[in-house]
Amino acid sequence: MNGKKFLGMIFANIHEETLDSLTATRTMGSVPFCSRYRLIDFPLSNMVESGVTKIGVITNANFQSLMDHVGTGKPWDLSRKNDGLFILPPFNVGSATMWGNRIDAIYGNKGFLEQSTQTYVVMSDCNNVLSIDYEELFEAHVQSDADITVVGVNSPMPDKISSILCFDKIDENGRITEMSLDRKVKKDVFHSINIVVMKKYLLETLITTAHSKNEISFQRNILMANVKNLNIHAYDATDSFIGTISSVQAYYDVSMKLLEKENRIRLFNRDFPIYTKERDDMPAIYGPESQLNNSLVADGCIIDGKVENSIIFKGVKIAKGAVVKNSILMQDNLIGENAKLNCVISDKNVSVKNGVELSGAFNFPVTLTKGTRI
């Protein structure tokens, strides 16, 4: 199915309250990930590689870093005269926190929808690290004659995220006949990852109706309320690599999974590359006493200490005698001599002085906010 017929919409702020300090000054979409990426790179790249040529990024607050990152969309080939990338913050009101929910956000951007010539809309959040062939999704949506298609996975329910839609019953044609919200079970559940496809006119109609009734839940008031009236299908993406960032712990766990080669191959598929805005830098420099084991190290780093089972972003400097284990160090961290870090998530521009020791646990990593000095 030709992706040019699909309009992309990405919600950059949804679920950011689950990441605490990591989203204190940035959107969910601009959270750094896996030594060189931002979370928005994954839905953006998936859409572009599937032929989508017009994408609107809906923001709410703290979107400066996101705008700096995506710019005109050039790294994703979205800097173009026709269509391309559109940042959709609430510039039209006095408050920068206009969008209270997903329905408000879509309704507030009705003008963007009405001015778009695409037939269909594909919507996605930024909290899923994934690699999906959207062309297959588009084809399945059209071939099934579905009114709405919702992408789901069969896995444990994400923690700290509310309004997760579960598919309780699906008929032999793939139509969802029963849904529920936030099932409290420990076993795997077939649930939505908030990627939704439908015709543009249908979305406009549903959103206008819901907004006129002051309804606030897209899952409850749009999807669940119409399960009997509309042909809503489930698309199973369980076989793809999908890591849901639903908490700081989940961010750490998904990041650590990518130290396994098999998971990196599944996520970073050569046929569906993940693009990002590159910061040009020199190659990483490794001192004569440096030691590295099972780690991802970006360009521009200077490593004179020991790094084990860790993810190191650009511009990090680790001095002689320092030991970094099971940790995530974001851009431009400075780790002093003989410092020891274990199970630490360190945001940008953090400085750790000589001899400091800091240790968390695999199930409780220590988080250092941006610009911290220890």
Side-chain angles (χ1 to χ4, degrees):
M1 184 67 185
N2 190 344
K4 290 184 178 180
K5 295 183 179 180
F6 288 80
L7 171 68
M9 295 185 73
I10 298 175
F11 297 89
N13 286 82
I14 299 289
H15 311 308
E16 65 183 18
E17 71 281 354
T18 63
L19 287 188
D20 301 325
S21 60
L22 294 181
T23 52
T25 58
R26 59 167 73 97
T27 67
M28 171 71 81
S30 58
V31 171
F33 184 79
C34 199
S35 80
R36 58 181 297 195
Y37 300 97
R38 304 286 183 127
L39 291 182
I40 197 171
D41 294 339
F42 295 91
L44 260 181
S45 300
N46 288 172
M47 289 183 184
V48 167
E49 280 300 299
S50 301
V52 180
T53 59
K54 185 174 184 179
I55 300 174
V57 179
I58 298 177
T59 65
N60 192 358
N62 292 330
F63 47 80
Q64 183 61 54
S65 63
L66 182 73
M67 295 176 69
D68 292 342
H69 178 68
V70 300
T72 61
K74 186 176 180 180
W76 300 270
D77 192 29
L78 290 172
S79 179
R80 49 180 71 198
K81 292 182 179 179
N82 297 317
D83 295 338
L85 181 68
F86 296 80
I87 302 294
L88 305 171
F91 283 140
N92 59 326
V93 292
S95 171
T97 57
M98 175 182 175
W99 316 133
N101 55 71
R102 200 182 302 261
I103 291 176
D104 282 349
I106 299 172
Y107 185 82
N109 286 286
K110 277 186 63 181
F112 174 72
L113 285 170
E114 292 167 353
Q115 294 166 10
S116 301
T117 60
Q118 285 76 8
T119 305
Y120 302 90
V121 178
V122 54
M123 298 178 289
S124 174
D125 293 345
C126 282
N127 68 316
N128 290 302
V129 176
L130 75 171
S131 180
I132 288 182
D133 184 353
Y134 275 36
E135 286 188 279
E136 292 184 1
L137 167 62
F138 299 158
E139 188 67 30
H141 175 74
V142 174
Q143 291 298 322
S144 65
D145 198 29
D147 294 311
I148 302 174
T149 298
V150 186
V151 179
V153 294
N154 194 42
S155 69
M157 292 285 285
D159 59 336
K160 291 192 175 183
I161 293 182
S162 60
S163 297
I164 297 293
L165 191 66
C166 302
F167 310 140
D168 298 329
K169 288 187 180 180
I170 301 174
D171 67 17
E172 65 276 6
N173 297 317
R175 179 176 179 175
I176 305 170
T177 58
E178 288 188 18
M179 302 180 185
S180 61
L181 283 176
D182 301 329
R183 290 180 59 188
K184 304 299 182 183
V185 294
K186 294 183 178 180
K187 63 181 182 179
D188 287 359
V189 176
F190 192 24
H191 64 271
S192 166
I193 57 171
N194 290 326
I195 298 175
V196 180
V197 178
M198 69 178 79
K199 283 192 173 180
K200 183 166 71 74
Y201 82 85
L202 177 59
L203 176 63
E204 291 171 331
T205 301
L206 293 172
I207 289 298
T208 300
T209 302
H211 189 268
S212 68
K213 297 178 181 179
N214 292 320
E215 294 173 339
I216 62 173
S217 172
F218 187 90
Q219 288 82 1
R220 183 183 300 278
N221 302 126
I222 300 291
L223 298 177
M224 288 184 65
N226 288 289
V227 70
K228 303 297 183 183
N229 307 323
L230 298 175
N231 186 11
I232 304 178
H233 277 234
Y235 180 87
D236 192 349
T238 303
D239 291 339
S240 304
F241 180 91
I242 298 177
T244 299
I245 309 299
S246 58
S247 63
V248 172
Q249 182 66 54
Y251 174 86
Y252 180 81
D253 293 340
V254 173
S255 298
M256 292 296 107
K257 284 181 180 179
L258 292 173
L259 292 176
E260 300 175 17
K261 184 177 181 180
E262 179 182 345
N263 289 330
R264 290 200 303 275
I265 292 173
R266 291 176 62 202
L267 178 60
F268 300 106
N269 190 321
R270 290 185 178 181
D271 296 329
F272 293 92
I274 305 298
Y275 303 103
T276 190
K277 177 185 176 182
E278 292 285 358
R279 187 180 87 176
D280 294 334
D281 217 325
M282 64 181 183
I285 297 175
Y286 302 94
E289 299 179 14
S290 64
Q291 300 179 49
L292 275 88
N293 180 34
N294 191 38
S295 297
L296 300 177
V297 179
D299 297 340
C301 295
I302 299 177
I303 311 295
D304 288 309
K306 180 178 180 180
V307 179
E308 181 179 333
N309 297 324
S310 296
I311 297 175
I312 311 298
F313 286 71
K314 290 177 178 286
V316 173
K317 297 179 181 179
I318 300 176
K320 292 181 180 180
V323 178
V324 177
K325 292 184 177 181
N326 311 310
S327 296
I328 301 169
L329 306 186
M330 297 184 191
Q331 295 96 314
D332 301 318
N333 274 218
L334 301 176
I335 310 302
E337 293 185 4
N338 300 313
K340 291 180 172 57
L341 273 62
N342 180 47
C343 295
V344 172
I345 301 173
S346 176
D347 209 329
K348 297 173 63 176
N349 300 311
V350 169
S351 178
V352 178
K353 294 183 179 180
N354 298 347
V356 170
E357 296 188 16
L358 189 61
S359 181
F362 286 105
N363 61 352
F364 198 87
V366 173
T367 303
L368 302 178
T369 58
K370 184 178 179 180
T372 299
R373 301 287 184 267
I374 298 181

